[in-house]
Amino acid sequence: MAAPDPAPQLGTLSWLPAVDRLDLLGAPVAAAVPTLSAPVWVAEIDDDAADTAAFTEAYSVPLAASANCVVVAARRSGETTMAACLVLATTRADVNGLVRRHLGARKASFAPQDVVVAESGMAYGGITPVGLPASWPVLVDAAVAASELVVIGSGTRGSKLAVPGAVLAGLPGAEVLDGLGQPIG
């Protein structure tokens, strides 16, 4: 029997195998974690530190080791497509450029919070690409896909996941896009 993968050393957090602590995850995330292609890790955090800036400060996790998931509503001819965009926290998603064109939409904007929460079954501030509805495309920036490990939401505000970039790139409906994440500034 192979030895379990060692826990990552990311910030001041204690990381545990996510399959051992499904209780820390949002329901759709807990259902999806056992199906992932490699082990992922979970760490419990304070709900008030769920937002990226507060999280990196509170737990000393480098901003470059975190990824943000934003949900976009893309519209064309009266039809709306929801899509998740995953970019490093040091960048912002190119919603009005690359995302809009990639989805063939006339208009793309951040999806309304209440709609995202209701349709994903996840808490705002904990939205993650793991466990999203199958009909939602998951657009993953190439820099995220190439990362050894990134910290993302867990479906709740009370924990974070550490996931290999290759696992995120291999999620159902995932497409890796160069230039999805644009420099902030």
Side-chain angles (χ1 to χ4, degrees):
M1 180 179 250
D5 290 332
Q9 299 297 308
L10 280 168
T12 59
L13 294 165
S14 296
W15 296 94
L16 303 167
V19 293
D20 295 344
R21 291 301 312 268
L22 296 176
D23 60 300
L24 293 176
L25 310 175
V29 181
V33 160
T35 70
L36 297 177
S37 62
V40 299
W41 305 90
V42 66
E44 196 166 2
I45 64 167
D46 186 309
D47 288 10
D48 293 334
D51 295 328
T52 304
F55 171 75
T56 57
E57 184 176 328
Y59 299 105
S60 301
V61 173
L63 198 57
S66 294
N68 291 327
C69 181
V70 296
V71 179
V72 173
R75 294 172 190 84
R76 182 179 190 99
S77 303
E79 294 292 318
T80 299
T81 300
M82 302 289 271
C85 300
L86 192 63
V87 298
L88 291 177
T90 55
T91 66
R92 61 176 173 73
D94 184 8
V95 173
N96 291 310
L98 182 62
V99 173
R100 183 185 57 75
R101 287 189 308 273
H102 183 77
L103 296 174
R106 185 184 53 75
K107 181 179 179 189
S109 58
F110 294 108
Q113 175 182 332
D114 58 334
V115 173
V116 173
V117 169
E119 292 190 20
S120 71
M122 298 180 198
Y124 186 75
I127 304 293
T128 186
V130 177
L132 285 176
S135 62
W136 292 14
V138 176
L139 309 179
V140 180
D141 184 71
V144 172
S147 297
E148 185 177 329
L149 206 60
V150 291
V151 176
I152 60 172
S154 66
T156 74
R157 292 184 62 86
S159 65
K160 292 285 187 180
L161 289 173
V163 182
V167 169
L168 296 168
L171 288 172
E175 298 178 68
V176 176
L177 300 177
D178 283 317
L180 177 61
Q182 294 293 304
I184 296 173

